[in-house]
Amino acid sequence: GHNLGFRHSRDGGVDYEDRTGLMGYTYSGLNGPRMCLNGAKSYQSGWYHDATKTITPMITPAGNGNTCFIGRLYGVAEYEAGNSDKTVIIKINDYREGKDSYFVAFNRALRMNYGTQEGRNSVIITKARGEGENASPSELIAKLNPLGKFAFRNFAGTGKKLVVEVVSRRARFPEVRIQLAGEQCEGTFPPTPSPKPACIGNKKAIQVNVRTDEYSDETSWSLTHTCSGTLVGKADIDTLSSSRSYSNVYCVHDVGEYRFTIEDSYSDGLCCHWGSGSYSVEYDGAVVAAGGRFRDTASAVFGSCP
């Protein structure tokens, strides 16, 4: 590691005490444990540059990029070169020159990182001097489990807390939100525009609109042609992002019965304990189902079989 320009990984200011990745504690085994680097050193390596999101939290944005983040984090074992949709590292800048930078990464115990010795399957916060690009020791700041939260007080002299929060209950692909306290992050994902139904011939449009709550990993839905049992469309669990709007249009035959079913695996629906989620279904321009308050399942049947 030192030959690649990496310095020690610290915890509490003590060298070698960060065991979430390499460059911390020294192990005697010749072929293990199988571990990768922490977020600060992963950023320094440059290996995941196309899967790194950088934010600069400030009271007033100054045109220098994103000021907050909300989205899903992936472990280094799930990194795909050239796929910027899979965020592996979040770098948090202090806009004041020469200050520390912070790094948020998901320490997924999988494949080449299966043997990580600390903070397994947790969101890890580390820091390094300056921009994190030069050789300097890293410091372990926090380990967050699902629904865990950490706050930097008076971040960058703003007088506000910067809150890093894991907003999903599942540990596999954690949804993370980073924002100054009192502000609302709209997310780093572009909104999905509502498509305009344009079905031709004797076909009708079914439009499914879903607005997720803060725990999108619990939500799934399906649209089925009941006459034949054919699946028309679906969104599986763990495929949607938090607090985001989705809209899908399907052109179907003008004769047929359809069933729309939406489910929440935690049995608290889409509204209104953890955000204002909702759903609606339009059939040939008319709303046939809508809501948000339900427990584990809500469904609607419309149309008729020949």
Side-chain angles (χ1 to χ4, degrees):
H2 289 300
N3 292 334
L4 296 175
F6 299 130
R7 301 287 296 278
H8 296 147
S9 297
R10 297 175 173 174
D11 185 7
V14 180
D15 284 350
Y16 311 113
E17 286 302 304
D18 176 5
R19 305 188 185 196
T20 63
L22 297 173
M23 302 306 298
Y25 187 79
T26 300
Y27 301 93
S28 58
L30 294 177
N31 297 310
R34 293 161 60 186
M35 299 170 62
C36 296
L37 301 166
N38 65 26
K41 288 176 170 57
S42 291
Y43 177 84
Q44 182 188 341
S45 74
W47 297 333
Y48 313 102
H49 65 92
D50 52 350
T52 298
K53 299 290 192 302
T54 300
I55 64 172
T56 306
M58 298 172 62
I59 295 177
T60 303
N64 55 349
N66 294 320
T67 60
C68 63
F69 175 91
I70 182 168
R72 185 169 291 175
L73 264 182
Y74 294 83
V76 294
E78 286 127 352
Y79 166 71
E80 297 176 2
N83 186 353
S84 60
D85 291 333
K86 285 191 171 183
T87 302
V88 173
I89 303 169
I90 307 166
K91 180 188 179 189
I92 305 175
N93 278 340
D94 185 326
Y95 70 94
R96 300 172 299 180
E97 186 175 354
K99 299 295 183 179
D100 293 337
S101 291
Y102 298 89
F103 303 87
V104 182
F106 179 36
N107 191 32
R108 180 136 192 233
L110 182 70
R111 300 182 192 130
M112 67 279 205
N113 195 48
Y114 180 78
T116 178
Q117 299 294 293
E118 182 180 6
R120 292 173 64 87
N121 299 316
S122 298
V123 173
I124 308 296
I125 305 173
T126 52
K127 76 172 181 178
R129 296 195 189 106
E131 292 295 312
E133 297 174 353
N134 300 320
S136 67
S138 63
E139 181 77 24
L140 176 63
I141 301 298
K143 298 172 287 188
L144 304 181
N145 292 321
L147 301 185
K149 182 187 297 187
F150 180 83
F152 296 93
R153 298 181 182 276
N154 190 28
F155 181 79
T158 61
K160 289 189 174 185
K161 294 180 182 178
L162 178 70
V163 181
V164 180
E165 182 178 9
V166 181
V167 298
S168 57
R169 294 186 178 92
R170 282 186 175 77
R172 185 181 177 189
F173 300 127
E175 293 271 352
V176 176
R177 180 170 54 209
I178 306 173
Q179 63 186 23
L180 289 172
E183 297 190 357
Q184 183 62 42
C185 186
E186 295 298 331
T188 58
F189 300 102
T192 301
S194 297
K196 296 181 180 179
C199 299
I200 60 175
N202 62 347
K203 292 189 174 183
K204 295 181 179 179
I206 300 178
Q207 181 166 331
V208 178
N209 306 302
V210 175
R211 172 72 179 179
T212 57
D213 63 4
E214 295 179 3
Y215 298 106
S216 59
D217 55 351
E218 301 165 359
T219 303
S220 62
W221 62 263
S222 64
L223 177 65
T224 305
H225 183 253
T226 59
C227 309
S228 63
T230 303
L231 182 67
V232 178
K234 68 173 182 174
D236 290 327
I237 203 166
D238 257 339
T239 61
L240 303 174
S241 297
S242 298
S243 303
R244 186 184 178 193
S245 296
Y246 295 85
S247 190
N248 298 274
V249 172
Y250 305 94
C251 293
V252 299
H253 293 290
D254 60 354
V255 177
E257 182 182 82
Y258 299 89
R259 177 185 295 274
F260 172 77
T261 302
I262 188 165
E263 300 181 77
D264 185 275
S265 63
Y266 202 75
S267 300
D268 61 358
L270 294 175
C271 186
C272 295
H273 299 291
W274 304 102
S276 299
S278 62
Y279 70 89
S280 66
V281 181
E282 300 175 30
Y283 179 47
D284 198 24
V287 177
V288 294
R293 294 179 182 270
F294 61 94
R295 294 188 67 81
D296 55 345
T297 304
S299 63
V301 178
F302 50 93
S304 60
C305 295

